[in-house]
Amino acid sequence: MSAAPPAPETADLVEAYNDIAYVSDPVPQCHPNRLATIGRLLGLETAPLATCRVLELACGEGINLVPPAAMLPQASFVGVDIATAPLARAQRMVDDDTYCIDVLTQV
C-alpha cells in the first residue's frame, strides 16, 4: 500500500527519519501471547491468539511483527511507520513469502 507524499510541514521530519538509521530491537513484552495472557489475568476477554489482529505504530523494520507472524499464520499483522528505509527492509522480509504479514504501510 502506497501513501501520499508527506505534507510540507512534516517533510523535514520524514527526511530526518530516513537520513538517520536507528536500530530496531524486539520487545518481548509486545508479543501477542504475552499481551493476551496479561489481559486474561486482568479479567479481559481476549481474541484467540491464532487469529489475533496486531497493529504496530512506528514498526520500523517490523522486528516485532515478523517473528509472531511466522508463528501465527492465521493472524493479521499491520505495521505503520513514517520512515521509508526501515519500512522497505521490513517489506523485503515480507515479500520473500516466508512470513504472514498482511500489510506494512507508510504514513
Short mmCIF file of all heavy atoms in Angstrom, two decimals, residues 20-90:
data_model
loop_
_atom_site.label_atom_id
_atom_site.label_comp_id
_atom_site.label_asym_id
_atom_site.label_seq_id
_atom_site.Cartn_x
_atom_site.Cartn_y
_atom_site.Cartn_z
N ILE A 20 18.66 9.22 9.26
CA ILE A 20 19.32 8.68 10.45
C ILE A 20 18.84 7.25 10.66
O ILE A 20 17.67 7.00 10.96
CB ILE A 20 19.00 9.53 11.70
CG1 ILE A 20 19.48 10.96 11.47
CG2 ILE A 20 19.61 8.91 12.94
CD1 ILE A 20 19.00 11.94 12.50
N ALA A 21 19.77 6.31 10.50
CA ALA A 21 19.42 4.90 10.71
C ALA A 21 19.27 4.65 12.21
O ALA A 21 20.11 5.08 13.00
CB ALA A 21 20.49 4.01 10.13
N TYR A 22 18.23 3.98 12.60
CA TYR A 22 18.05 3.63 14.00
C TYR A 22 17.90 2.13 14.13
O TYR A 22 17.44 1.44 13.23
CB TYR A 22 16.88 4.37 14.64
CG TYR A 22 15.55 4.18 13.95
CD1 TYR A 22 14.68 3.18 14.36
CD2 TYR A 22 15.17 4.99 12.89
CE1 TYR A 22 13.46 3.00 13.74
CE2 TYR A 22 13.94 4.82 12.27
CZ TYR A 22 13.11 3.83 12.70
OH TYR A 22 11.90 3.65 12.08
N VAL A 23 18.36 1.62 15.25
CA VAL A 23 18.37 0.18 15.49
C VAL A 23 17.01 -0.25 16.03
O VAL A 23 16.46 0.38 16.94
CB VAL A 23 19.47 -0.19 16.50
CG1 VAL A 23 19.44 -1.67 16.81
CG2 VAL A 23 20.83 0.23 15.96
N SER A 24 16.48 -1.31 15.47
CA SER A 24 15.23 -1.88 15.96
C SER A 24 15.57 -3.12 16.76
O SER A 24 16.27 -4.00 16.27
CB SER A 24 14.32 -2.26 14.80
OG SER A 24 13.92 -1.12 14.09
N ASP A 25 15.10 -3.17 17.97
CA ASP A 25 15.27 -4.35 18.81
C ASP A 25 13.90 -4.90 19.13
O ASP A 25 12.95 -4.15 19.35
CB ASP A 25 15.99 -3.99 20.12
CG ASP A 25 17.44 -3.63 19.90
OD1 ASP A 25 18.10 -4.29 19.07
OD2 ASP A 25 17.93 -2.69 20.55
N PRO A 26 13.78 -6.23 19.18
CA PRO A 26 12.48 -6.80 19.54
C PRO A 26 12.12 -6.46 20.98
O PRO A 26 12.98 -6.33 21.84
CB PRO A 26 12.69 -8.31 19.36
CG PRO A 26 14.16 -8.51 19.30
CD PRO A 26 14.79 -7.23 18.92
N VAL A 27 10.83 -6.30 21.21
CA VAL A 27 10.32 -6.01 22.55
C VAL A 27 9.42 -7.19 22.94
O VAL A 27 8.27 -7.26 22.51
CB VAL A 27 9.53 -4.69 22.56
CG1 VAL A 27 9.02 -4.38 23.96
CG2 VAL A 27 10.39 -3.55 22.04
N PRO A 28 9.96 -8.15 23.70
CA PRO A 28 9.18 -9.35 24.04
C PRO A 28 7.85 -9.04 24.73
O PRO A 28 6.89 -9.79 24.60
CB PRO A 28 10.10 -10.13 24.97
CG PRO A 28 11.47 -9.58 24.76
CD PRO A 28 11.28 -8.18 24.28
N GLN A 29 7.78 -7.93 25.43
CA GLN A 29 6.55 -7.56 26.13
C GLN A 29 5.41 -7.27 25.16
O GLN A 29 4.25 -7.21 25.57
CB GLN A 29 6.78 -6.33 27.03
CG GLN A 29 7.76 -6.56 28.14
CD GLN A 29 9.22 -6.34 27.73
OE1 GLN A 29 9.57 -6.28 26.56
NE2 GLN A 29 10.08 -6.24 28.73
N CYS A 30 5.71 -7.10 23.88
CA CYS A 30 4.68 -6.78 22.89
C CYS A 30 4.17 -8.01 22.14
O CYS A 30 3.31 -7.88 21.27
CB CYS A 30 5.23 -5.78 21.87
SG CYS A 30 5.60 -4.18 22.59
N HIS A 31 4.68 -9.19 22.44
CA HIS A 31 4.24 -10.39 21.74
C HIS A 31 2.76 -10.63 22.04
O HIS A 31 2.32 -10.49 23.19
CB HIS A 31 5.07 -11.60 22.17
CG HIS A 31 4.85 -12.79 21.30
ND1 HIS A 31 3.73 -13.58 21.40
CD2 HIS A 31 5.60 -13.31 20.30
CE1 HIS A 31 3.80 -14.55 20.50
NE2 HIS A 31 4.93 -14.40 19.82
N PRO A 32 1.97 -10.97 21.03
CA PRO A 32 0.53 -11.16 21.24
C PRO A 32 0.19 -12.18 22.34
O PRO A 32 -0.77 -11.99 23.09
CB PRO A 32 0.03 -11.68 19.89
CG PRO A 32 1.04 -11.20 18.91
CD PRO A 32 2.35 -11.15 19.63
N ASN A 33 0.99 -13.22 22.50
CA ASN A 33 0.74 -14.21 23.54
C ASN A 33 0.86 -13.59 24.93
O ASN A 33 0.04 -13.81 25.81
CB ASN A 33 1.69 -15.39 23.39
CG ASN A 33 1.31 -16.56 24.27
OD1 ASN A 33 0.15 -16.74 24.61
ND2 ASN A 33 2.30 -17.33 24.65
N ARG A 34 1.89 -12.78 25.12
CA ARG A 34 2.10 -12.12 26.42
C ARG A 34 0.98 -11.14 26.70
O ARG A 34 0.44 -11.08 27.81
CB ARG A 34 3.44 -11.43 26.43
CG ARG A 34 3.79 -10.75 27.75
CD ARG A 34 5.17 -10.17 27.66
NE ARG A 34 5.83 -9.45 28.67
CZ ARG A 34 5.48 -9.12 29.88
NH1 ARG A 34 4.36 -9.51 30.35
NH2 ARG A 34 6.22 -8.42 30.68
N LEU A 35 0.61 -10.35 25.69
CA LEU A 35 -0.46 -9.37 25.89
C LEU A 35 -1.80 -10.05 26.19
O LEU A 35 -2.56 -9.59 27.04
CB LEU A 35 -0.57 -8.47 24.66
CG LEU A 35 0.65 -7.60 24.38
CD1 LEU A 35 0.49 -6.85 23.08
CD2 LEU A 35 0.92 -6.64 25.54
N ALA A 36 -2.08 -11.16 25.51
CA ALA A 36 -3.32 -11.89 25.78
C ALA A 36 -3.31 -12.47 27.19
O ALA A 36 -4.34 -12.44 27.88
CB ALA A 36 -3.50 -13.00 24.75
N THR A 37 -2.18 -12.98 27.61
CA THR A 37 -2.07 -13.54 28.97
C THR A 37 -2.33 -12.48 30.01
O THR A 37 -3.09 -12.69 30.97
CB THR A 37 -0.68 -14.18 29.17
OG1 THR A 37 -0.51 -15.22 28.21
CG2 THR A 37 -0.54 -14.74 30.57
N ILE A 38 -1.72 -11.32 29.84
CA ILE A 38 -1.94 -10.22 30.79
C ILE A 38 -3.40 -9.81 30.78
O ILE A 38 -4.00 -9.59 31.84
CB ILE A 38 -1.01 -9.03 30.46
CG1 ILE A 38 0.44 -9.41 30.76
CG2 ILE A 38 -1.41 -7.79 31.26
CD1 ILE A 38 1.45 -8.41 30.25
N GLY A 39 -3.99 -9.70 29.60
CA GLY A 39 -5.41 -9.35 29.51
C GLY A 39 -6.29 -10.33 30.26
O GLY A 39 -7.19 -9.94 31.00
N ARG A 40 -6.02 -11.61 30.06
CA ARG A 40 -6.83 -12.63 30.75
C ARG A 40 -6.64 -12.58 32.25
O ARG A 40 -7.59 -12.75 33.01
CB ARG A 40 -6.48 -14.02 30.21
CG ARG A 40 -7.04 -14.23 28.83
CD ARG A 40 -6.85 -15.64 28.35
NE ARG A 40 -7.31 -15.74 26.98
CZ ARG A 40 -6.71 -16.43 26.04
NH1 ARG A 40 -5.63 -17.13 26.33
NH2 ARG A 40 -7.19 -16.46 24.83
N LEU A 41 -5.41 -12.35 32.70
CA LEU A 41 -5.15 -12.22 34.14
C LEU A 41 -5.89 -11.03 34.74
O LEU A 41 -6.25 -11.04 35.91
CB LEU A 41 -3.65 -12.10 34.41
CG LEU A 41 -2.83 -13.37 34.19
CD1 LEU A 41 -1.34 -13.07 34.30
CD2 LEU A 41 -3.24 -14.45 35.19
N LEU A 42 -6.12 -10.03 33.91
CA LEU A 42 -6.86 -8.84 34.36
C LEU A 42 -8.36 -8.97 34.15
O LEU A 42 -9.11 -8.03 34.36
CB LEU A 42 -6.33 -7.59 33.65
CG LEU A 42 -4.89 -7.22 33.99
CD1 LEU A 42 -4.40 -6.09 33.10
CD2 LEU A 42 -4.77 -6.83 35.46
N GLY A 43 -8.79 -10.14 33.69
CA GLY A 43 -10.22 -10.40 33.54
C GLY A 43 -10.82 -9.97 32.21
O GLY A 43 -12.04 -9.92 32.07
N LEU A 44 -9.99 -9.67 31.24
CA LEU A 44 -10.49 -9.26 29.93
C LEU A 44 -10.73 -10.47 29.04
O LEU A 44 -10.04 -11.49 29.15
CB LEU A 44 -9.49 -8.32 29.25
CG LEU A 44 -9.17 -7.02 29.98
CD1 LEU A 44 -8.05 -6.29 29.27
CD2 LEU A 44 -10.40 -6.15 30.07
N GLU A 45 -11.68 -10.33 28.16
CA GLU A 45 -11.89 -11.35 27.13
C GLU A 45 -10.97 -10.99 25.96
O GLU A 45 -11.08 -9.90 25.40
CB GLU A 45 -13.34 -11.37 26.68
CG GLU A 45 -13.65 -12.47 25.72
CD GLU A 45 -15.12 -12.51 25.35
OE1 GLU A 45 -15.96 -12.14 26.18
OE2 GLU A 45 -15.40 -12.91 24.20
N THR A 46 -10.07 -11.89 25.61
CA THR A 46 -9.11 -11.59 24.55
C THR A 46 -9.44 -12.38 23.29
O THR A 46 -10.11 -13.41 23.34
CB THR A 46 -7.67 -11.93 25.00
OG1 THR A 46 -7.59 -13.32 25.28
CG2 THR A 46 -7.28 -11.12 26.24
N ALA A 47 -8.95 -11.88 22.18
CA ALA A 47 -9.13 -12.57 20.90
C ALA A 47 -8.34 -13.87 20.92
O ALA A 47 -7.31 -13.97 21.60
CB ALA A 47 -8.65 -11.68 19.76
N PRO A 48 -8.78 -14.87 20.19
CA PRO A 48 -7.99 -16.09 20.08
C PRO A 48 -6.61 -15.76 19.50
O PRO A 48 -6.51 -15.04 18.51
CB PRO A 48 -8.78 -16.98 19.12
CG PRO A 48 -10.16 -16.41 19.12
CD PRO A 48 -10.02 -14.96 19.42
N LEU A 49 -5.58 -16.28 20.11
CA LEU A 49 -4.22 -15.97 19.68
C LEU A 49 -3.99 -16.34 18.21
O LEU A 49 -3.37 -15.58 17.47
CB LEU A 49 -3.22 -16.70 20.58
CG LEU A 49 -1.75 -16.38 20.33
CD1 LEU A 49 -1.47 -14.90 20.53
CD2 LEU A 49 -0.88 -17.22 21.23
N ALA A 50 -4.49 -17.47 17.79
CA ALA A 50 -4.23 -17.95 16.43
C ALA A 50 -4.76 -17.02 15.36
O ALA A 50 -4.23 -16.98 14.25
CB ALA A 50 -4.83 -19.34 16.24
N THR A 51 -5.81 -16.26 15.67
CA THR A 51 -6.40 -15.36 14.67
C THR A 51 -6.42 -13.91 15.14
O THR A 51 -7.24 -13.12 14.69
CB THR A 51 -7.84 -15.81 14.34
OG1 THR A 51 -8.60 -15.83 15.56
CG2 THR A 51 -7.86 -17.18 13.69
N CYS A 52 -5.49 -13.57 16.00
CA CYS A 52 -5.48 -12.20 16.53
C CYS A 52 -5.11 -11.20 15.43
O CYS A 52 -4.63 -11.57 14.36
CB CYS A 52 -4.49 -12.10 17.69
SG CYS A 52 -2.75 -12.29 17.22
N ARG A 53 -5.38 -9.95 15.71
CA ARG A 53 -5.02 -8.86 14.80
C ARG A 53 -4.08 -7.93 15.55
O ARG A 53 -4.39 -7.51 16.66
CB ARG A 53 -6.25 -8.11 14.32
CG ARG A 53 -7.17 -9.00 13.50
CD ARG A 53 -8.39 -8.26 13.04
NE ARG A 53 -9.17 -7.84 14.20
CZ ARG A 53 -10.11 -6.92 14.17
NH1 ARG A 53 -10.40 -6.30 13.05
NH2 ARG A 53 -10.78 -6.61 15.26
N VAL A 54 -2.96 -7.61 14.94
CA VAL A 54 -1.94 -6.79 15.59
C VAL A 54 -1.65 -5.57 14.73
O VAL A 54 -1.42 -5.69 13.52
CB VAL A 54 -0.63 -7.60 15.79
CG1 VAL A 54 0.46 -6.72 16.39
CG2 VAL A 54 -0.89 -8.81 16.67
N LEU A 55 -1.67 -4.42 15.35
CA LEU A 55 -1.30 -3.16 14.70
C LEU A 55 -0.12 -2.60 15.47
O LEU A 55 -0.20 -2.43 16.69
CB LEU A 55 -2.46 -2.16 14.73
CG LEU A 55 -2.11 -0.73 14.31
CD1 LEU A 55 -1.69 -0.67 12.85
CD2 LEU A 55 -3.29 0.19 14.58
N GLU A 56 0.98 -2.33 14.78
CA GLU A 56 2.12 -1.70 15.43
C GLU A 56 2.41 -0.37 14.76
O GLU A 56 2.66 -0.31 13.55
CB GLU A 56 3.37 -2.58 15.37
CG GLU A 56 4.51 -1.95 16.13
CD GLU A 56 5.75 -2.81 16.22
OE1 GLU A 56 5.88 -3.77 15.45
OE2 GLU A 56 6.60 -2.48 17.06
N LEU A 57 2.34 0.68 15.55
CA LEU A 57 2.69 2.02 15.08
C LEU A 57 4.19 2.21 15.29
O LEU A 57 4.73 1.76 16.30
CB LEU A 57 1.90 3.07 15.85
CG LEU A 57 0.38 2.90 15.80
CD1 LEU A 57 -0.30 3.95 16.65
CD2 LEU A 57 -0.12 2.95 14.37
N ALA A 58 4.83 2.87 14.35
CA ALA A 58 6.29 3.05 14.38
C ALA A 58 6.97 1.69 14.37
O ALA A 58 7.83 1.40 15.17
CB ALA A 58 6.72 3.88 15.59
N CYS A 59 6.60 0.86 13.42
CA CYS A 59 7.07 -0.53 13.36
C CYS A 59 8.52 -0.66 12.88
O CYS A 59 9.12 -1.72 13.03
CB CYS A 59 6.17 -1.37 12.48
SG CYS A 59 6.28 -0.96 10.72
N GLY A 60 9.08 0.40 12.29
CA GLY A 60 10.46 0.32 11.82
C GLY A 60 10.64 -0.83 10.85
O GLY A 60 9.94 -0.95 9.85
N GLU A 61 11.58 -1.71 11.17
CA GLU A 61 11.90 -2.85 10.30
C GLU A 61 10.96 -4.04 10.51
O GLU A 61 11.18 -5.10 9.95
CB GLU A 61 13.34 -3.28 10.55
CG GLU A 61 14.33 -2.21 10.18
CD GLU A 61 15.75 -2.58 10.56
OE1 GLU A 61 15.96 -3.38 11.49
OE2 GLU A 61 16.66 -2.05 9.90
N GLY A 62 9.95 -3.87 11.32
CA GLY A 62 8.99 -4.94 11.54
C GLY A 62 9.49 -6.03 12.47
O GLY A 62 8.96 -7.14 12.49
N ILE A 63 10.49 -5.72 13.27
CA ILE A 63 11.13 -6.73 14.12
C ILE A 63 10.17 -7.30 15.18
O ILE A 63 10.36 -8.42 15.65
CB ILE A 63 12.41 -6.17 14.77
CG1 ILE A 63 13.34 -7.29 15.22
CG2 ILE A 63 12.11 -5.23 15.90
CD1 ILE A 63 14.01 -8.00 14.09
N ASN A 64 9.12 -6.56 15.52
CA ASN A 64 8.12 -7.09 16.45
C ASN A 64 6.96 -7.75 15.72
O ASN A 64 6.10 -8.35 16.37
CB ASN A 64 7.57 -5.98 17.34
CG ASN A 64 8.51 -5.63 18.46
OD1 ASN A 64 9.09 -6.50 19.09
ND2 ASN A 64 8.69 -4.35 18.69
N LEU A 65 6.92 -7.64 14.41
CA LEU A 65 5.83 -8.23 13.64
C LEU A 65 6.20 -9.52 12.94
O LEU A 65 5.41 -10.47 12.89
CB LEU A 65 5.34 -7.22 12.58
CG LEU A 65 4.73 -5.93 13.10
CD1 LEU A 65 4.44 -5.00 11.95
CD2 LEU A 65 3.49 -6.22 13.90
N VAL A 66 7.40 -9.59 12.39
CA VAL A 66 7.78 -10.75 11.58
C VAL A 66 7.84 -12.04 12.39
O VAL A 66 7.25 -13.04 11.98
CB VAL A 66 9.10 -10.47 10.82
CG1 VAL A 66 9.58 -11.72 10.10
CG2 VAL A 66 8.90 -9.33 9.83
N PRO A 67 8.51 -12.08 13.55
CA PRO A 67 8.56 -13.36 14.29
C PRO A 67 7.18 -13.88 14.71
O PRO A 67 6.88 -15.05 14.47
CB PRO A 67 9.45 -13.04 15.50
CG PRO A 67 10.32 -11.92 15.02
CD PRO A 67 9.42 -11.09 14.14
N PRO A 68 6.29 -13.05 15.30
CA PRO A 68 4.98 -13.58 15.63
C PRO A 68 4.18 -13.99 14.38
O PRO A 68 3.42 -14.96 14.41
CB PRO A 68 4.27 -12.45 16.37
CG PRO A 68 5.32 -11.50 16.77
CD PRO A 68 6.46 -11.69 15.83
N ALA A 69 4.36 -13.26 13.29
CA ALA A 69 3.65 -13.61 12.05
C ALA A 69 4.08 -14.98 11.54
O ALA A 69 3.27 -15.73 11.01
CB ALA A 69 3.89 -12.55 10.98
N ALA A 70 5.35 -15.30 11.72
CA ALA A 70 5.83 -16.61 11.30
C ALA A 70 5.23 -17.72 12.15
O ALA A 70 5.00 -18.83 11.66
CB ALA A 70 7.36 -16.65 11.39
N MET A 71 4.94 -17.43 13.40
CA MET A 71 4.37 -18.42 14.32
C MET A 71 2.85 -18.49 14.26
O MET A 71 2.26 -19.47 14.68
CB MET A 71 4.82 -18.11 15.75
CG MET A 71 6.31 -18.07 15.95
SD MET A 71 7.09 -19.67 15.80
CE MET A 71 6.47 -20.47 17.23
N LEU A 72 2.22 -17.42 13.79
CA LEU A 72 0.76 -17.32 13.78
C LEU A 72 0.26 -17.02 12.36
O LEU A 72 -0.18 -15.90 12.07
CB LEU A 72 0.30 -16.23 14.75
CG LEU A 72 0.74 -16.38 16.21
CD1 LEU A 72 0.51 -15.10 16.99
CD2 LEU A 72 0.02 -17.55 16.84
N PRO A 73 0.30 -17.98 11.46
CA PRO A 73 -0.02 -17.71 10.06
C PRO A 73 -1.47 -17.29 9.80
O PRO A 73 -1.75 -16.69 8.77
CB PRO A 73 0.30 -19.03 9.36
CG PRO A 73 0.27 -20.06 10.42
CD PRO A 73 0.67 -19.37 11.69
N GLN A 74 -2.40 -17.56 10.72
CA GLN A 74 -3.79 -17.15 10.52
C GLN A 74 -4.08 -15.78 11.12
O GLN A 74 -5.17 -15.24 10.94
CB GLN A 74 -4.73 -18.20 11.14
CG GLN A 74 -4.59 -19.58 10.55
CD GLN A 74 -4.81 -19.59 9.05
OE1 GLN A 74 -5.78 -19.03 8.56
NE2 GLN A 74 -3.91 -20.21 8.32
N ALA A 75 -3.12 -15.22 11.82
CA ALA A 75 -3.28 -13.90 12.43
C ALA A 75 -2.99 -12.82 11.39
O ALA A 75 -2.42 -13.08 10.33
CB ALA A 75 -2.36 -13.75 13.63
N SER A 76 -3.37 -11.59 11.69
CA SER A 76 -3.18 -10.46 10.79
C SER A 76 -2.26 -9.45 11.46
O SER A 76 -2.51 -9.04 12.59
CB SER A 76 -4.54 -9.83 10.48
OG SER A 76 -4.36 -8.67 9.71
N PHE A 77 -1.22 -9.04 10.77
CA PHE A 77 -0.24 -8.11 11.30
C PHE A 77 -0.12 -6.91 10.38
O PHE A 77 0.07 -7.07 9.17
CB PHE A 77 1.12 -8.78 11.45
CG PHE A 77 1.13 -9.85 12.50
CD1 PHE A 77 0.70 -11.13 12.20
CD2 PHE A 77 1.54 -9.57 13.79
CE1 PHE A 77 0.69 -12.13 13.16
CE2 PHE A 77 1.53 -10.56 14.77
CZ PHE A 77 1.10 -11.84 14.44
N VAL A 78 -0.23 -5.72 10.93
CA VAL A 78 -0.12 -4.48 10.16
C VAL A 78 0.88 -3.58 10.87
O VAL A 78 0.79 -3.37 12.07
CB VAL A 78 -1.48 -3.75 10.05
CG1 VAL A 78 -1.31 -2.42 9.31
CG2 VAL A 78 -2.50 -4.63 9.35
N GLY A 79 1.83 -3.08 10.12
CA GLY A 79 2.82 -2.15 10.65
C GLY A 79 2.75 -0.82 9.92
O GLY A 79 2.57 -0.79 8.71
N VAL A 80 2.91 0.25 10.67
CA VAL A 80 2.87 1.60 10.11
C VAL A 80 4.13 2.33 10.59
O VAL A 80 4.51 2.22 11.75
CB VAL A 80 1.62 2.37 10.61
CG1 VAL A 80 1.61 3.79 10.07
CG2 VAL A 80 0.36 1.63 10.21
N ASP A 81 4.77 3.04 9.67
CA ASP A 81 5.95 3.82 10.04
C ASP A 81 6.09 5.01 9.11
O ASP A 81 5.67 4.94 7.96
CB ASP A 81 7.21 2.95 9.99
CG ASP A 81 8.32 3.50 10.87
OD1 ASP A 81 8.78 4.63 10.61
OD2 ASP A 81 8.71 2.82 11.81
N ILE A 82 6.71 6.06 9.61
CA ILE A 82 6.92 7.25 8.81
C ILE A 82 8.22 7.15 8.00
O ILE A 82 8.37 7.78 6.97
CB ILE A 82 6.93 8.51 9.72
CG1 ILE A 82 6.79 9.76 8.88
CG2 ILE A 82 8.16 8.56 10.60
CD1 ILE A 82 6.52 11.01 9.67
N ALA A 83 9.15 6.32 8.46
CA ALA A 83 10.45 6.19 7.80
C ALA A 83 10.37 5.14 6.70
O ALA A 83 10.02 4.00 6.95
CB ALA A 83 11.52 5.82 8.83
N THR A 84 10.72 5.53 5.50
CA THR A 84 10.61 4.62 4.36
C THR A 84 11.73 3.58 4.30
O THR A 84 11.51 2.48 3.84
CB THR A 84 10.55 5.39 3.04
OG1 THR A 84 11.71 6.22 2.93
CG2 THR A 84 9.31 6.24 2.96
N ALA A 85 12.94 3.93 4.75
CA ALA A 85 14.06 2.99 4.65
C ALA A 85 13.85 1.74 5.51
O ALA A 85 13.94 0.62 5.00
CB ALA A 85 15.38 3.69 4.99
N PRO A 86 13.57 1.87 6.81
CA PRO A 86 13.31 0.65 7.60
C PRO A 86 12.07 -0.08 7.11
O PRO A 86 12.02 -1.31 7.12
CB PRO A 86 13.13 1.15 9.02
CG PRO A 86 13.46 2.57 9.04
CD PRO A 86 13.57 3.05 7.63
N LEU A 87 11.08 0.66 6.68
CA LEU A 87 9.86 0.05 6.18
C LEU A 87 10.14 -0.78 4.93
O LEU A 87 9.59 -1.87 4.77
CB LEU A 87 8.83 1.14 5.88
CG LEU A 87 7.40 0.69 5.70
CD1 LEU A 87 6.89 -0.04 6.92
CD2 LEU A 87 6.52 1.88 5.39
N ALA A 88 11.03 -0.31 4.07
CA ALA A 88 11.40 -1.06 2.87
C ALA A 88 12.11 -2.37 3.26
O ALA A 88 11.88 -3.41 2.63
CB ALA A 88 12.30 -0.22 1.97
N ARG A 89 12.96 -2.32 4.31
CA ARG A 89 13.62 -3.55 4.76
C ARG A 89 12.58 -4.53 5.30
O ARG A 89 12.65 -5.74 5.04
CB ARG A 89 14.68 -3.23 5.82
CG ARG A 89 15.90 -2.54 5.23
CD ARG A 89 17.03 -2.43 6.23
NE ARG A 89 16.75 -1.54 7.34
CZ ARG A 89 16.94 -0.22 7.32
NH1 ARG A 89 17.39 0.36 6.22
NH2 ARG A 89 16.68 0.51 8.38
N ALA A 90 11.62 -4.04 6.04
CA ALA A 90 10.55 -4.90 6.56
C ALA A 90 9.76 -5.50 5.41
O ALA A 90 9.44 -6.70 5.42
CB ALA A 90 9.64 -4.10 7.48
#
